[in-house]
Amino acid sequence: MATDPLRNLDLNLLLSLDALLEERNVTRAAERLGLSQPAVSAALRRLRRHFGDELLVRIGNRYDLTPLAAQLRGATTTALAGVRRVFEAEPGFDPAISTREFTVVASDYSTTVLGDHLATELAREAPGVRLRFQLQTRGDVDHAPESLRHVDGMVLPHGFLRDLPAVELHTDGWVLVVSADNDHVGEEITLDQLAEMPWVVTHLAPTAFTPAARQLSMIGVEPDVHVVTETFLPVPFLVAGTPRVALLQRQLATRLASSAGVRILECPWDVVPLKEAFWWHPAHRVDPAHAWLRRMMKRAAAQLGRAD
């Protein structure tokens, strides 16, 4: 029978590895862990022996990650989150006294429009609970069955995931934004104008796209893409003062239009609405803390609907 590689390994090294890869400095890692510098230096030596790799190499007056260390960085964070979840598990859950941390993967749009309501709901019932929003990446979505194992859930619209449990949250619409000083566009915009204008788009990949933009292509209007951004918050600022146009969620556009200096226009096609949901791994089904979080997600979404 093969020997379990964890049998003789001190799992405290995982904490040291995470701090060292994040800080790239023994002194700062020691401060972060609340340990002495010699203790962290000793941990680094043990980690180097285990991996057969330097992990941190000096370049000038700083340290950088080796290729293996760079590969380990994301895996270490994920593994540490999984370990925390194991030891945070409880047979029951009392939000009033819990100090658990919940991690929700979300776009900057979802964090902006829903985050405050969710944080308020959690604080009302569970003042000791911490809420962590983790910025959603393409890999989180493409590999959702695996990535959802290590977090509490992901806020994502329908159309990207299937065969996973989800809690329905809220519905939003799509609007167009143009610069407030764009004199070539009046109170309404046509499909012909959209075909000629330069575009700012969010995501541009087979598995990462804005549903309304995909729908626009399907009716024969191919946007002339000049700028691509992986997040939503910069969009109106990339449009302001230019002839560009972009699609943005109505709730986010309403919040940012004035400060960004853009105008909101209705889409000249029957645009598909955005239906947001909270997706989670089936392994969380029997976790009472997770069931409570799902109720809070629903309550926060209801608050968002009332505010709008």
Side-chain angles (χ1 to χ4, degrees), residues 11-88:
L11 290 182
N12 283 319
L13 288 176
L14 185 60
L15 285 167
S16 298
L17 179 61
D18 181 61
L20 286 163
L21 297 184
E22 181 68 25
E23 300 294 341
R24 306 186 187 191
N25 181 282
V26 171
T27 301
R28 290 198 300 270
E31 292 173 352
R32 174 174 169 174
L33 294 168
L35 299 174
S36 67
Q37 184 174 335
V40 177
S41 293
L44 178 57
R45 288 194 295 271
R46 293 177 64 188
L47 288 163
R48 283 169 166 168
R49 286 197 301 270
H50 175 79
F51 289 108
D53 186 89
E54 285 297 295
L55 299 178
L56 296 177
V57 291
R58 183 181 287 278
I59 299 178
N61 61 353
R62 63 181 177 84
Y63 282 93
D64 207 349
L65 303 181
T66 66
L68 176 62
Q71 176 185 336
L72 288 171
R73 186 176 179 185
T76 300
T77 301
T78 299
L80 192 56
V83 170
R84 286 196 176 104
R85 291 186 60 81
V86 168
F87 287 97
E88 285 176 346

Side-chain angles (χ1 to χ4, degrees), residues 99-178:
T99 57
R100 179 164 170 169
E101 177 176 285
F102 292 99
T103 300
V104 175
V105 176
S107 68
D108 56 344
Y109 154 71
S110 298
T111 303
T112 299
V113 302
L114 185 64
D116 179 54
H117 296 289
L118 180 58
T120 298
E121 292 300 325
L122 264 60
R124 182 177 292 121
E125 290 196 10
V129 158
R130 177 185 297 169
L131 176 62
R132 179 185 297 272
F133 283 105
Q134 182 174 305
L135 186 61
Q136 189 180 92
T137 67
R138 189 184 308 172
D140 292 327
V141 179
D142 290 347
H143 307 289
E146 179 59 29
S147 61
L148 284 174
R149 288 182 180 274
H150 309 294
V151 296
D152 290 289
M154 182 187 308
V155 180
L156 189 72
H158 283 278
F160 295 91
L161 301 182
R162 61 181 182 179
D163 300 328
L164 287 167
V167 172
E168 302 301 320
L169 295 179
H170 65 98
T171 300
D172 200 355
W174 292 96
V175 294
L176 294 161
V177 292
V178 298

Side-chain angles (χ1 to χ4, degrees), residues 228-291:
V228 180
T229 175
E230 297 297 317
T231 54
F232 293 100
L233 287 175
V235 168
F237 300 96
L238 292 169
V239 167
T242 77
R244 301 177 192 130
V245 63
L247 277 162
L248 204 59
Q249 302 92 339
R250 184 183 298 275
Q251 293 173 14
L252 186 60
T254 301
R255 287 166 169 79
L256 297 179
S258 178
S259 59
V262 296
R263 289 191 289 128
I264 296 174
L265 300 173
E266 297 299 324
C267 297
W269 74 97
D270 188 16
V271 65
V272 62
L274 185 71
K275 294 188 175 182
E276 290 274 87
F278 178 61
W279 303 82
W280 45 283
H281 196 277
H284 301 317
R285 195 180 303 275
V286 297
D287 181 358
H290 197 274

Side-chain angles (χ1 to χ4, degrees), residues 6 90 105 119 143 183 204 251:
L6 296 180
E90 303 168 299
V105 176
H143 307 289
D183 296 331
L204 192 62
Q251 293 173 14

